[in-house]
Amino acid sequence: MSNDNCQKVDVSRRKLLAGGAAAATAMMLGSEASASQINNAISWDKTFDVLVIGSGFAALSAAIEARRKGLDVMIVEKMRVPGGNSTINGGLFAVAGSELQKEEGVEDSVELMVQDMMAAGRGINHPELTRAIAAGSPDAFKFVVECGAKFKPKLSWLGGHSVARTYLTHNASGSGIVRPLVKTARREGVVIRTECKMLNFITNDDKRIIGIQVKDGYRFPDEETGIVKHFKARRGVVLASGGFSRDTKFLSAQDPRLGGVIDSTNQPGATGEALRAAFRIGAVPVQLSLIQLGPWASPDEQGFGVASMFNIQSGFRYGIMVERATGKRFVNELADRKTRADAMIKNVKESGEPDYPIILVDSVGAKACPTLDRCLEYKVVHAFDRLEDLASHYQIPAEGLIESVTAYNEYVKNNDDLELGKPVSTATPIIKPPFYAVRGWPKVHHCMGGVEINPSAQVLHSETFEPIAGLYAAGEVTGGPHGASRLGSCAITDGLVMGRIAGNSVARNDAI
Amino acid sequence: MSNDNCQKVDVSRRKLLAGGAAAATAMMLGSEASASQINNAISWDKTFDVLVIGSGFAALSAAIEARRKGLDVMIVEKMRVPGGNSTINGGLFAVAGSELQKEEGVEDSVELMVQDMMAAGRGINHPELTRAIAAGSPDAFKFVVECGAKFKPKLSWLGGHSVARTYLTHNASGSGIVRPLVKTARREGVVIRTECKMLNFITNDDKRIIGIQVKDGYRFPDEETGIVKHFKARRGVVLASGGFSRDTKFLSAQDPRLGGVIDSTNQPGATGEALRAAFRIGAVPVQLSLIQLGPWASPDEQGFGVASMFNIQSGFRYGIMVERATGKRFVNELADRKTRADAMIKNVKESGEPDYPIILVDSVGAKACPTLDRCLEYKVVHAFDRLEDLASHYQIPAEGLIESVTAYNEYVKNNDDLELGKPVSTATPIIKPPFYAVRGWPKVHHCMGGVEINPSAQVLHSETFEPIAGLYAAGEVTGGPHGASRLGSCAITDGLVMGRIAGNSVARNDAI
């Protein structure tokens, strides 16, 4: 192959811009162009040690960790404010072997959390990633507390978990972690550049990622806005851009049912273009068709809303879910998300329209919901003095509903759900009015798939299955740790733990 | 961006080689390099109108169709002989509304076949592809008959199909179609280049695929062999390289259980590198984690073997499958592949080792198996005079087995399988010795996922979801038509129908 030195500068400049230049490199064995020569060829608008794409749990953790190694770090976020989907996350954070578990007398271990995550994941998790996440959870919890995050003083026991191991942020929202992390990052010198959209990765002849091409001054979702710029990353790039729950076409490609009729809990910016760009420079696509529907959402509000927390904290644990048409329970209300969502979406009317199931709880169970006031204010959850009124409001056969409640109360009394096997040891009977109820319907919530990484958060290449030099990834943009279904409250753990690992890995990389 | 004309030749030459050069093009808006200029820059080793990657059902159909439009066509196949996995396919070919159905009085329609394929696919098929396949099936059948393929004179009724609609080649093998197609292709002037391995796609500044980089003289699996060459495609490239059932690392990434413990029915060359190269030039990855296990394979031979045909034609239709430990049936033997395989792999011993279920049939049912002699000769299927001997050989509790057979014979008599809902209207009771039996175990059989195409077999790009100019794909390398589980005997239909569409689409493309 020709290696005409007089033409090197422009060759390099252009090839650097190629999304898949890494693929070309293997074919250019005759080339003598070195990385440093190529670096000199492109006109970089900015240079940092580390560039982080995205600004949620994983991105912020990676940025802070890398910054604490003395590196110059910039976060690139396409939306107007940092935080991404993490800001509207429910704030539930699973930790294996926490201080609060010791206080509450809960026995837990990394092994048990891995088992729970693998069971929910139907055994097709990448086990080394699952383990890394569970193992890193106590330290990640300390990390965010030291950054200023505050948590409620009682653990939650969520569906699919063998024990109570889930913290809840003081404001019942992921923003309770995002805000302290943003503050910490800024205070410690991380640059956060918003309205800056990632377009493509830039590689050198050694197949190493050396920077990114962006649209700076971009105003979502107006694709006509922004100016193309090139940012250099001396140590590497951390891809932490989240999932593709709002990426309608890509979502439809994986599951045509999800292209419109089923809403998403995610923020509008979860559009997946950085993930797709990663495939074009060789990232291995993993388990993309495994898309989680959140079973606790309501069709009567947009996105995650307020009812989701009601169902998670009160409805499913202390109440029951029944078919509208019969008043009968039809699934263990604490089964994992996939089991519940699959059962719920089978409830369709003869017309083919959804027949939304109803989740109900009494006033004792409702106390566990930290957002009950808002649920009522927004008229998503309704209160009823009598079960008959509740049945009438939702057009449930009253007899069927009362039969279900009576049977369930008996199961609670005997600590044995003979019907559906729900663990009811901490449940309370549905007795004391007012009764609270909400219509439920699953929403696209989490993308289990993404790019393949190893436990050091290095992204693997589809030609060699070896790490792509200079590229790291963490959080929802990666695939594998959660298998077929992510267990509730493990997204924060994933983002924080793997983000911190990515930040430390990129800091260990040689500078170019 | 600089646009230094004096450096154009080498720039183009190099950028052309980039696997992801298409991604770069969008960034080179300032460039004035035209496609024709770039074409002149690379030194092509060969030039054809159409290049086809792979040589199975889809590839051969595409090549013949394009050739019949008067084009110069070359097939590129990395193995020593053409045919790929199609050669060892079982030769079952589903056709909706065939001549033989009319003769046999079977009522069928495209709509019914689509319904069956969608039901097996759990409703997440790309419906426009499913429909295209079913609709094209009668013509595809005529096409291969005209090429010289011969079929047995009786239809098979396979699991998951509402009616008997499946032809079987005269030699009960896909080679019964592949050989006539290879012969036809050669006779009509298609060049078939074996031992030639696809490495990367080559694109021009218009993002159009204009050729491929290969290793010519490659001897599988020795990666040190072969010489790098560049072949130009004036009209376009048809990707028909099949699935990735032998691509251990990529398979493990999608489902870690499949990386070794579960065998595959596929030929060793099903290693997926052309599929992975397509992702690097922007092909949209679709449903890659949906991987089909064939429920009819045996652990007592390698690959598809001879027992698979025994189980498909005799065992599952005229016999029963029982757990080794109990002698009890556990799944409708004619349920779709996913249902059966999922049920089978739950049979594990306490040690965690597989506890292979046993499939058995009597001598009447065994007559339907065209390969019985070889099954016995290879000692995969065994014959027994009494059920007690069969039970003893496999260490099944005899009482449990006989109970199962007795109950089943009663279901057949009453045309109602009260236990598992198997359709038994054409079944015969298990009465007449000798009894034939085989150990069963699922094997990786078909990759439902691949690149996204539209019904014209154009490959879509992950940045725009519009067709990648000059790139077409057909058959197992594509994703979507079969959803979560491909219905048996629809692989030939898919390959032939979509291959023919791809061949006609590429022929309509403008030449460069």
Side-chain angles (χ1 to χ4, degrees), chain A residues 7 10 27 126 253 276 289 462, chain B residues 7 10 126 253 276 289 462:
Chain A
Q7 294 163 4
D10 195 57
M27 304 156 66
H126 288 210
R276 288 182 269 118
S289 48
S462 68
Chain B
Q7 293 164 4
D10 196 57
H126 288 210
R276 288 183 269 118
S289 48
S462 68

Side-chain angles (χ1 to χ4, degrees), chain B residues 60-126:
Chain B
L60 290 163
S61 306
I64 291 168
E65 289 290 341
R67 180 68 192 143
R68 288 180 178 178
K69 295 287 182 297
L71 303 181
D72 288 328
V73 180
M74 180 163 73
I75 280 177
V76 166
E77 164 59 52
K78 77 167 179 282
M79 305 303 274
R80 201 173 49 80
V81 292
N85 215 57
S86 300
T87 304
I88 59 165
N89 165 295
L92 292 160
F93 179 3
V95 179
S98 69
E99 292 301 317
L100 201 42
Q101 284 182 320
K102 280 170 208 156
E103 282 178 31
E104 294 187 9
V106 177
E107 278 192 40
D108 197 8
S109 66
V110 168
E111 192 50 47
L112 189 60
M113 181 163 164
V114 169
Q115 274 175 31
D116 289 344
M117 291 174 74
M118 296 283 293
R122 305 297 194 270
I124 62 169
N125 312 47
H126 288 210

Side-chain angles (χ1 to χ4, degrees), chain A residues 2-3 7 10-11 14 17-18 24 27-28 124-126 213 253-256 276 280 285-287 289 462, chain B residues 2-3 7 10-11 14 17-18 24 27-28 124-126 200 213 253-256 276 280 285-287 289 462:
Chain A
S2 109
N3 177 28
Q7 294 163 4
D10 195 57
V11 164
R14 293 190 173 206
L17 297 176
M27 304 156 66
M28 295 186 63
I124 61 168
N125 312 47
H126 288 210
Q213 190 204 38
Q254 309 312 323
D255 184 342
R276 288 182 269 118
R280 295 195 296 269
V286 170
Q287 300 184 339
S289 48
S462 68
Chain B
S2 108
N3 177 29
Q7 293 164 4
D10 196 57
V11 166
R14 292 190 174 204
L17 297 174
M27 304 156 65
M28 294 185 64
I124 62 169
N125 312 47
H126 288 210
N200 277 297
Q213 190 203 40
Q254 309 313 325
D255 184 341
R276 288 183 269 118
R280 296 195 295 270
V286 169
Q287 302 185 336
S289 48
S462 68

Side-chain angles (χ1 to χ4, degrees), chain B residues 29-62:
Chain B
L29 301 172
S31 170
E32 288 167 14
S34 74
S36 58
Q37 279 176 306
I38 287 171
N39 291 347
N40 295 334
I42 196 160
S43 136
W44 297 104
D45 293 288
K46 288 197 175 288
T47 297
F48 285 80
D49 292 314
V50 176
L51 293 169
V52 179
I53 303 161
S55 62
F57 300 126
L60 290 163
S61 306

Side-chain angles (χ1 to χ4, degrees), chain B residues 220-272:
Chain B
F220 178 88
D222 184 351
E223 298 307 318
E224 303 303 308
T225 56
I227 296 159
V228 173
K229 288 187 181 172
H230 302 92
F231 297 156
K232 181 175 168 179
R234 278 188 295 250
R235 301 266 179 163
V237 175
V238 178
L239 176 65
S241 53
F244 55 90
S245 288
R246 292 283 187 189
D247 191 353
T248 315
K249 285 181 180 168
F250 198 63
L251 206 57
S252 295
Q254 309 313 325
D255 184 341
R257 297 174 305 179
L258 307 181
V261 290
I262 292 189
D263 189 18
S264 168
T265 62
N266 282 209
Q267 58 112 2
T271 45

Side-chain angles (χ1 to χ4, degrees), chain A residues 59-386:
Chain A
L60 291 164
S61 306
I64 292 169
E65 289 291 341
R67 180 67 193 143
R68 287 178 179 179
K69 293 290 183 296
L71 303 180
D72 288 326
V73 179
M74 181 164 73
I75 280 178
V76 167
E77 164 59 50
K78 77 166 177 282
M79 304 303 273
R80 203 173 47 80
V81 292
N85 216 56
S86 299
T87 303
I88 59 164
N89 164 295
L92 292 159
F93 179 3
V95 179
S98 68
E99 292 302 315
L100 200 44
Q101 284 182 321
K102 279 171 207 154
E103 282 177 31
E104 294 187 9
V106 176
E107 278 192 40
D108 197 10
S109 66
V110 168
E111 192 49 48
L112 189 60
M113 180 162 163
V114 169
Q115 275 175 30
D116 289 344
M117 290 173 75
M118 297 283 293
R122 305 295 193 274
I124 61 168
N125 312 47
H126 288 210
E128 68 287 3
L129 299 181
T130 312
R131 185 167 303 280
I133 290 166
S137 61
D139 271 357
F141 181 76
K142 283 178 204 145
F143 168 78
V144 296
V145 167
E146 282 164 15
C147 288
K150 289 187 171 43
F151 293 87
K152 294 189 185 282
K154 195 173 176 322
L155 291 173
S156 300
W157 188 0
L158 301 193
H161 290 269
S162 294
V163 294
R165 64 162 69 96
T166 296
Y167 283 93
L168 178 62
T169 53
H170 73 99
N171 65 345
S173 159
S175 64
I177 293 171
V178 167
R179 282 180 202 149
L181 289 186
V182 167
K183 210 169 160 183
T184 302
R186 285 196 166 125
R187 188 179 60 232
E188 297 186 6
V190 171
V191 177
I192 301 182
R193 196 176 191 92
T194 54
E195 300 194 313
C196 183
K197 182 183 181 180
M198 155 79 184
L199 295 179
N200 277 296
F201 292 95
I202 302 172
T203 60
N204 72 7
D205 264 3
D206 294 330
K207 293 192 181 194
R208 175 168 169 160
I209 303 292
I210 57 167
I212 59 174
Q213 190 204 38
V214 299
K215 272 176 103 177
D216 201 36
Y218 168 79
R219 288 191 306 278
F220 178 87
D222 184 352
E223 297 309 317
E224 302 303 310
T225 56
I227 296 158
V228 172
K229 290 189 179 171
H230 301 91
F231 297 156
K232 180 176 171 180
R234 277 189 294 250
R235 302 268 178 162
V237 175
V238 178
L239 176 64
S241 53
F244 54 90
S245 289
R246 292 282 187 188
D247 192 353
T248 316
K249 285 182 180 168
F250 197 63
L251 206 57
S252 295
Q254 309 312 323
D255 184 342
R257 297 175 306 178
L258 307 181
V261 289
I262 291 190
D263 189 18
S264 167
T265 63
N266 281 212
Q267 58 111 2
T271 45
E273 65 281 346
L275 170 68
R276 288 182 269 118
F279 297 140
R280 295 195 296 269
I281 50 105
V284 178
V286 170
Q287 300 184 339
L288 294 170
S289 48
L290 305 178
I291 295 161
Q292 181 172 77
L293 303 181
W296 22 245
S298 172
D300 295 325
E301 60 181 348
Q302 296 212 320
F304 191 80
V306 292
S308 297
M309 192 53 68
F310 172 81
N311 285 325
I312 293 168
Q313 296 284 2
S314 288
F316 286 136
R317 175 149 296 282
Y318 299 105
I320 59 174
M321 175 162 60
V322 298
E323 289 181 341
R324 203 246 356 125
T326 63
K328 286 196 193 309
R329 293 171 68 213
F330 58 96
V331 68
N332 166 2
E333 292 88 350
L334 292 177
D336 64 68
R337 290 177 173 178
K338 184 170 166 54
T339 301
R340 286 180 286 175
D342 285 351
M344 289 167 79
I345 56 177
K346 282 185 185 157
N347 281 300
V348 289
K349 295 180 183 168
E350 274 177 31
S351 64
E353 291 297 297
D355 200 354
Y356 305 118
I358 313 298
I359 299 118
L360 64 138
V361 68
D362 79 349
S363 61
V364 174
K367 281 185 192 151
C369 172
T371 56
L372 183 61
D373 289 351
R374 276 185 283 158
C375 289
L376 293 167
E377 187 188 330
Y378 299 161
K379 297 192 179 358
V380 182
V381 172
H382 297 282
F384 304 90
D385 286 334
R386 306 182 314 146

